[in-house]
């Protein structure tokens, strides 16, 4: 793999072996956190300065040690996949903290796909209008500190540590009073709300972790509730139909709020609309009150004309690929207009130049992100069939690959067959692998399904992700340097985060 440094010294250990060894040693920790530490310790020097959106480990050894201690303490709690459907614990934590989440207005975002990208767009728009923002999103791509952002940037390691230590006594107090200790996600949610109040922020942009009604984030009273496209995911917890899932997600709608509703399946839309009537909420629907009027592929992204609640916005450049990101942009714009009262107390559109400047600044790491050239390597965190379908469509539109190789590492609790079937038309061959998470599907199990979908001759198995990347790049290069081969790494946010580290990003 040409992006990795040559082995020109027999005394120097192989960084990829070290990467694997460190993860193996961290069996008592959350694998998501272990891989962050392992990747940064073995590969940090290979990629130059880190992206502002995805921070590397702290350079100060004392700060790094302190952050590692916080990560280890958080990892002793229930992970994000073990849930008890209640907001009683987080409500108790907010109470002893003095309800910091009520000290600022908020925009709450739920849905199945597109939440994080939409949150980033909303954040960019609000910031362009000189508002101080706090953004809380999940999961993280590489560093847990990514989840809490102020003014468009992840909080520093020092601030993350300080916030954790500030809330820790109150967390312990609530733990002692509850049947179950606060979970990993609940503690992070409390930290985010406390950090936003301490900043202080003018507005918080909050993405749910799962569902809505009983999600830990749902202790805010958001004036604007955003619902991105709903599809089948987490069906064991949220319901087996999009209508049932919508019932959970509509739980974020508060009395007299404005609901910004992306295009939805009919049963999901009906549930949201009925809930909105009960809550006396105003609804703005994509395709009716707002939407995408036109879009054209442009270098590095696309050029849009959007219809907002207050009028049209022409020549909006969005440096992200895919029709789904254009629709996310329309939703984000409508949400910010609703926040400012456009379409209600305020008439006319927002300043178009400010809107253009905001969208042009948007990034979304791990979402159709190009991290290498010759051959081109694209990372996308699609992890369910709906996400895979829009990613496949975006790849066809944005890239002229003559031969595309897939690297797929998925979680065992997902609809893996549906995911693979969505990618089958665009992959010439697929390299199946697995990430370091305890949730990862075994590579051989994944291969068995892949063989049924792709045929045995198109499937290669490489359990180690570094080997999978190497194999895929080699396959993509088979047609020659200028033949247009490419690689798409996908299947899980964790797989994408690990690949990002291995390819020198962060």
């Amino acid at each position: 793999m040409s992006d990795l440094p040559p082995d020109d010294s027999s005394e120097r250990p192989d960084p990829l072996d070290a990467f694997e060894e460190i993860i193996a040693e961290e069996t008592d920790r959350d694998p998501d956190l272990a891989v962050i530490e392992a990747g940064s310790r073995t590969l940090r020097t290979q990629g130059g300065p880190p992206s502002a959106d995805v921070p590397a480990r702290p350079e100060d050894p004392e700060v790094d040690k302190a952050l590692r201690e916080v990560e280890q303490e958080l990892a002793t709690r229930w992970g994000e996949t073990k849930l008890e459907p209640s907001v009683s614990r987080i409500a108790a934590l907010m109470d002893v903290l003095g309800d910091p989440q009520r000290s600022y207005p908020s925009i709450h975002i739920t849905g199945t796909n597109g939440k994080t990208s939409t949150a980033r767009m909303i954040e960019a728009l609000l910031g362009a209008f000189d508002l101080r923002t706090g953004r809380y999103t999940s999961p993280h791509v590489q560093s847990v500190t990514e989840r809490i952002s102020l003014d468009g940037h992840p909080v520093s390691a020092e601030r993350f540590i300080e916030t954790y230590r500030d809330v820790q006594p109150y967390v312990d107090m609530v733990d002692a009073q509850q049947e179950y200790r606060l979970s990993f996600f609940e503690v992070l949610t409390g930290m985010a709300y406390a950090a936003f109040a301490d900043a202080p922020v003018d507005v918080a942009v909050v993405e749910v972790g799962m569902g809505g009604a009983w999600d830990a984030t749902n202790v805010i009273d958001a004036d604007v509730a955003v619902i991105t496209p709903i599809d089948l995911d987490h069906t064991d917890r949220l319901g087996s139909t999009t209508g049932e899932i919508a019932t959970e997600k509509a739980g974020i709608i508060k009395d007299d709020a404005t609901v910004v509703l992306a295009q939805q399946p009919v049963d999901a839309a009906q549930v949201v609309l009925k809930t909105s009537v009960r809550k006396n909420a105003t609804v703005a629907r994509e395709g009716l009150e707002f939407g995408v009027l036109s879009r054209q592929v442009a270098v590095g992204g696309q050029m849009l004309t959007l219809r907002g609640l207050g009028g049209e916005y022409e020549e909006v450049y969005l440096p992200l690929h895919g029709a789904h990101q254009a629709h996310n942009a329309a939703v984000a714009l409508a949400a910010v207009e609703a926040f400012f009262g456009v379409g209600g107390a305020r008439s006319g559109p927002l300043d178009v130049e400010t809107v253009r400047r905001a969208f042009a600044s948007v990034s979304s790491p791990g979402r159709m992100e190009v991290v290498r050239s010759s051959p081109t390597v694209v990372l996308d965190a699609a992890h369910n069939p709906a996400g895979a379908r829009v990613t496949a469509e975006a790849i066809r539109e944005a890239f002229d690959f003559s031969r595309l190789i897939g690297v797929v590492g998925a979680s065992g609790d997902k609809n893996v067959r549906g995911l693979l079937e969505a990618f089958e038309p665009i992959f010439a061959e697929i390299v199946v692998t697995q990430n370091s998470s305890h949730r990862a599907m075994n590579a051989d199990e994944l291969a068995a399904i892949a063989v049924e979908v792709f045929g045995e001759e198109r499937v290669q198995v490489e359990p180690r992700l570094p080997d999978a990347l190497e194999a895929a790049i080699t396959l993509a290069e088979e047609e020659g340097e200028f033949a247009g081969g490419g690689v798409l790494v996908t299947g899980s946010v964790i797989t994408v985060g690990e690949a990002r580290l291995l390819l020198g990003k962060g």
Side-chain angles (χ1 to χ4, degrees), residues 310-393:
E312 292 187 12
Y313 300 80
E314 299 179 341
E315 297 182 353
V316 175
Y317 174 69
L318 180 67
L320 300 174
H321 298 291
H324 62 295
Q325 295 290 19
H327 290 287
N328 289 340
V331 170
L333 177 61
V336 173
E337 286 183 309
F339 180 79
F340 284 125
V342 174
R346 172 176 171 173
S347 61
L350 301 174
D351 179 71
V352 67
E353 289 300 329
T354 304
V355 169
R356 288 170 179 157
R357 185 172 69 252
F359 276 120
S361 72
V362 169
S363 67
S364 194
R367 278 80 179 176
M368 290 290 290
E369 181 185 17
V370 177
V371 294
R372 187 191 194 275
S373 58
S374 299
T376 299
V377 177
V378 183
L379 307 180
D380 191 85
H383 55 274
N384 55 46
R389 286 192 293 271
V390 298
T391 296
E393 181 183 345

Side-chain angles (χ1 to χ4, degrees), residues 119-446:
R120 284 176 168 272
M121 294 178 196
I122 291 172
E123 173 189 53
L125 283 163
L126 293 168
F129 284 99
D130 297 324
L131 293 183
R132 186 161 205 209
T133 58
R135 173 172 54 84
Y136 181 53
T137 52
S138 61
H140 53 273
V141 178
Q142 288 173 205
S143 172
V144 69
T145 59
E146 297 166 37
R147 297 184 180 224
I148 304 173
S149 291
L150 293 172
D151 296 322
H153 300 285
V155 295
S156 66
E158 292 88 345
R159 188 159 195 163
F160 187 89
I161 296 163
E162 180 184 0
T163 302
Y164 176 77
R165 295 304 177 196
D166 284 346
V167 305
Q168 186 179 14
Y170 302 96
V171 169
D172 293 341
M173 187 186 308
V174 173
D175 282 345
Q177 298 170 349
Q178 298 291 319
E179 181 180 2
Y180 304 108
R181 296 170 70 213
L182 288 154
S183 69
F184 170 83
F185 187 73
E186 288 168 334
V187 175
L188 281 175
T189 301
M191 289 171 58
Y193 289 161
F196 297 161
D198 185 61
V201 301
D202 297 314
V203 55
V205 182
V206 178
E207 173 190 338
V208 304
M210 184 186 299
W214 43 261
D215 187 73
T217 62
N218 202 29
V219 288
I220 53 174
D221 292 321
D223 296 325
V224 179
V226 177
I227 303 180
T228 66
I230 294 172
D231 213 296
L232 299 179
D233 199 10
H234 301 296
T235 52
D236 56 330
R237 299 177 179 90
L238 302 180
S240 59
T241 68
T242 51
E244 291 175 352
I245 294 171
T247 300
E248 290 294 332
K249 295 187 182 292
I252 72 167
I253 300 172
K254 304 301 190 295
D255 291 338
D256 302 315
T258 299
V259 180
V260 176
L261 185 63
Q263 292 179 339
Q264 304 289 348
V266 172
D267 60 344
Q270 289 174 337
V271 168
V272 174
L273 292 173
K274 288 178 181 178
T275 303
S276 299
V277 169
R278 290 199 302 270
K279 295 289 187 176
N280 195 37
T282 302
V283 181
R285 300 156 295 179
E286 184 182 8
L288 294 173
E289 284 78 26
F290 70 93
V292 179
L293 292 181
S294 68
R295 52 183 295 271
Q296 293 181 320
V297 176
V299 176
Q302 52 194 309
M303 190 67 71
L304 310 176
T305 297
L306 303 175
R307 184 177 73 245
L309 304 179
E312 292 187 12
Y313 300 80
E314 299 179 341
E315 297 182 353
V316 175
Y317 174 69
L318 180 67
L320 300 174
H321 298 291
H324 62 295
Q325 295 290 19
H327 290 287
N328 289 340
V331 170
L333 177 61
V336 173
E337 286 183 309
F339 180 79
F340 284 125
V342 174
R346 172 176 171 173
S347 61
L350 301 174
D351 179 71
V352 67
E353 289 300 329
T354 304
V355 169
R356 288 170 179 157
R357 185 172 69 252
F359 276 120
S361 72
V362 169
S363 67
S364 194
R367 278 80 179 176
M368 290 290 290
E369 181 185 17
V370 177
V371 294
R372 187 191 194 275
S373 58
S374 299
T376 299
V377 177
V378 183
L379 307 180
D380 191 85
H383 55 274
N384 55 46
R389 286 192 293 271
V390 298
T391 296
E393 181 183 345
I395 287 285
R396 288 192 190 98
E397 177 185 82
F399 300 94
D400 189 23
F401 291 129
S402 60
R403 175 181 173 82
L404 180 64
I405 310 301
V407 175
V408 178
S411 296
D413 57 351
K414 297 295 182 181
N415 180 357
V416 174
R417 179 178 294 276
L419 178 88
L420 296 178
E421 288 174 345
F423 282 126
E424 190 277 332
I426 67 168
F427 287 163
E429 296 184 54
I430 180 174
V431 181
V432 297
T433 188
Q434 63 191 71
N435 59 56
S436 67
S437 171
H438 64 284
R439 296 170 57 199
M441 174 174 279
N442 177 272
D444 290 333
E445 294 179 18
L446 180 56

Side-chain angles (χ1 to χ4, degrees), residues 374-375 400 402 476-485:
S374 299
D400 189 23
S402 60
E477 289 175 334
E478 282 185 353
E479 292 187 351
E481 183 179 357
F482 302 106

